[in-house]
Amino acid sequence: MIPGKYRSVSGRAANNVNCGLHLVIQTSSLPEKNKVEFKLSKDTSSFPGRLLQHDLERNYSSRQGDHINLVSSSLSSFPILQRSSEEKILYSDRLSLERQKLTVCPIINGEDHLRLLNFQHNFITRIQNISNLQKLISLDLYDNQIEEISGLSTLRCLRVLLLGKNRIKKISNLENLKSLDVLDLHGNQITKIENINHLCELRVLNLARNFLSHVDNLNGLDSLTELNLRHNQITFVRDVDNLPCLQHLFLSFNNISSFDSVSCLADSSSLSDITFDGNPIAQESWYKHTVLQNMMQLRQLDMKRITEEERRMASVLAKKEEEKKRESHKQSLLKEKKRLTINNVARQWDLQQQRVANIATNEDRKDSDSAQDPCQIDGSTLSAFPEETGPLDSGLNNALQGLSVIDTYLVEVDGDTLSLYGSGALESLDRNWSVQTAGMITTVSFTFIEFDEIVHVLPKLKIKFPNSLHLKFKETNLVMLQQFNALAQLRRVDQLTIDPQGNPVVNFTLWKYYVLFRLSHFSMQKINGTEVTQNDMIMAERLFGILAHVASSELPQYRLISILGDARKKQFRYLLESKGKKPGIINEENNDSKRLVGENTNRATLNYTTRDFYNEKLEEIKEKKKFCKMYIEDLVKEATEINMKNEALQKLWPQMFIELVRDAVIEIRNKNSYMKLCLQQITDQK
């Protein structure tokens, strides 16, 4: 019968009663003088109060009071243990052989009724000679030199197995110990939890002071109530939430640095006592509150009882943390929605560019001279294209459906920056923007929008956002220097950023100098993040100054008069606007007026008209393609004729060769006649 103290996690282990033991290691071949006697003191000690809490560093420590006789035997390599009948009656179910300097397990005959066996503090290297003790309930081999768990397959009644402080490297050979209640393997060299899933009755498991780096493979331990993993190298824990009866878990002095690595503990409904002291996580300021927030059922943390005040504070912090998480989740959703919308806009942009390229290719194959070219890249032409309804990528499609992302454009205000993605975003300029918001905007960014479409809204931009000083262009099809002429109609530009992505114009070596020359009346400060120097302005004037003079001198008179009229109107309008303003505003307006007045007539002649330019350019390209097509067709025709002649020759040549050979054979068949014929031919030639 197992003492009641084995049935409780926190109770004491069964005591070894101070029993009179007469141990005789006997042989008939040795004389009496070879016997060695040991005196054992009489005392009794027991397990500590908590079996695993203190790593079972003390265990059976009772001493037998009688003499022990050890006799060497030449017939067997194992000593033989015998007890007197009185001792067997007095201590019928237990035997303690601790501190006997044993290197092997002795042969125990006539003791099949033993239930408790103690081999503590010896030098035993292998478990042997106990297979006949099939009624054994408790086996204590603490503090020996055992390297492998073995020799236990017949002990089907074993309930307590204490193998702490040995040299075991692997948990094995426990398949038949299905009734095991306490398993102590602390102080060994185990690196992995394994081969214990069948121990469905195991209540206490001690794996402290081993070499474990992670905790898993605990499924099947349905009765486990106490698990000691102190003093290991554990970084994460799994499967603990699958232990329905686990109450006490000791993880002190490991390498756990975040609650995420032990998040499965939050799903355990039975845990009431846990320790994390000695881990990096325990040094964090949020440690205690985080543990209590996620494990509200705990009663003790790091061996200290949790008070109601601590629970209340943890609950308050949990609510605040939940609010932060909700807000963070909301922001994450918005961020993800923005990302997916931009991806959708980018995809629509790519499809649009492909359609334009395909239509241009198809149109070039036709010989019609239509006045309106469908390849024209401006607002009216783009609106004629049907909306793309083809399927999206499966992953992107699911994400878009989950977030209801079907937009083909995006308008975002972030601080002083207005970002516009997709041509549909240009319609936002018609909104009733608040004065405060409109006044804050100093940077306007255009992405995935045709520059020709942007040109049409530049007057609105000047009116809606009077303080906009910085323009950004990315994926806007800026392909020629003339397009920068359109920016001259803005009120003011201090900075200009042209992203190389989707803007081939930046590949031109002199594009920055042209921008400085054409927009010199703005006195720009930065281009693509680089400061504009006085030398840059001088170089721009030298490179392109003559261009403006030639352009104005070659213009028809009616066109030049029209441009001069526009320039005069601009100057007069800004001079009139400066009147009647408050003193603090006049200086700023005058500065803007000076900027505009600085746009001289020569520069004003350099305009950008999208439709006319593209029509002219496309006509030129069409003529070149037509010439190339005709030239290639002539080459192909000539090559075809040569090939046909070659094929005809290949077909006729075999027959021609046969005829040549036949004629030659016939001619020389009669040598005399052939020679006469040859001489006759020579004579005739003379």
Side-chain angles (χ1 to χ4, degrees), residues 21-74:
L21 175 63
H22 187 200
L23 176 62
V24 180
I25 301 176
Q26 182 176 349
T27 177
S28 59
S29 61
L30 293 179
E32 185 70 19
K33 65 180 180 179
N34 290 337
K35 291 185 179 180
V36 183
E37 295 186 355
F38 293 87
K39 292 284 187 177
L40 296 180
S41 60
K42 297 182 179 181
D43 62 356
T44 303
S45 61
S46 61
F47 280 123
R50 296 184 63 93
L51 187 58
L52 295 186
Q53 180 82 17
H54 298 83
D55 295 340
L56 289 176
E57 294 177 355
R58 301 195 306 273
N59 211 323
Y60 295 112
S61 59
S62 60
R63 302 288 188 269
Q64 313 299 341
D66 292 345
H67 291 78
I68 298 176
N69 297 321
L70 300 174
V71 181
S72 304
S73 173
S74 61

